Amino acid sequence: MGRMHTRSVGGALALGLLLIFAAPAGAGETADSARPAVLPPPAVRAWQTGALAPDKLQHFSLAFSLGLGLGIATREPAAAAGGAIGLALAKELSDRRRSRFDRGDLLAGIVGAGCAALAVAALQR
């Protein structure tokens, strides 16, 4: 039973990563986004743009908590991963209409979903 869940979770994570990297680089960009932005120096903006930026942590924690809730309710790690990844993808597709599709946000959601699936699998042991 454990191997089946691991394969399902791995498949969901692989699909999420494929969706991130398969999208064209300029998808969702407008004419205004083609202009170079004036940014503060790297030392000032490092905390805002890295993997531990507050926005990325919010995406991770939301996917983790929603995935954990789904996984505990269904007792299926695959439901934890699949549900949270689906919601993360829907959020980024929705953002594409207003601003832009952010692969980093989606990746943070996928990592959160994967952690939730691992937690649910560990609870099943």
Side-chain angles (χ1 to χ4, degrees), residues 1-7 9 68 71-72 75-77 114-125:
M1 185 164 123
R3 287 185 193 171
M4 181 118 166
H5 292 303
T6 304
R7 279 186 263 161
V9 171
L68 190 60
I72 290 173
R75 296 181 183 198
E76 292 289 333
C115 289
L118 291 174
V120 170
L123 290 172
Q124 297 301 316
R125 292 183 187 163

Side-chain angles (χ1 to χ4, degrees), residues 9-25 85 89 101 103 106-107 110:
V9 171
L13 290 173
L15 176 63
L17 291 173
L18 177 66
L19 289 171
I20 290 172
F21 295 110
I85 289 171
L89 181 60
F101 187 96
R103 292 178 181 175
L106 183 58
L107 182 59
I110 290 170

Side-chain angles (χ1 to χ4, degrees), residues 16-105:
L17 291 173
L18 177 66
L19 289 171
I20 290 172
F21 295 110
E29 291 183 6
T30 64
D32 290 337
S33 66
R35 288 184 284 158
V38 178
L39 299 173
V44 173
R45 63 187 163 92
W47 68 271
Q48 298 171 334
T49 59
L52 296 178
D55 181 47
K56 304 300 183 265
L57 294 175
Q58 289 171 352
H59 282 271
F60 171 85
S61 63
L62 182 61
F64 178 75
S65 59
L66 290 174
L68 190 60
L70 285 168
I72 290 173
T74 62
R75 296 181 183 198
E76 292 289 333
I85 289 171
L87 291 171
L89 181 60
K91 164 75 169 83
E92 290 310 312
L93 290 174
S94 173
D95 283 352
R96 187 173 64 173
R97 293 185 201 158
R98 285 178 257 123
S99 57
R100 65 181 181 89
F101 187 96
D102 189 343
R103 292 178 181 175
D105 288 351

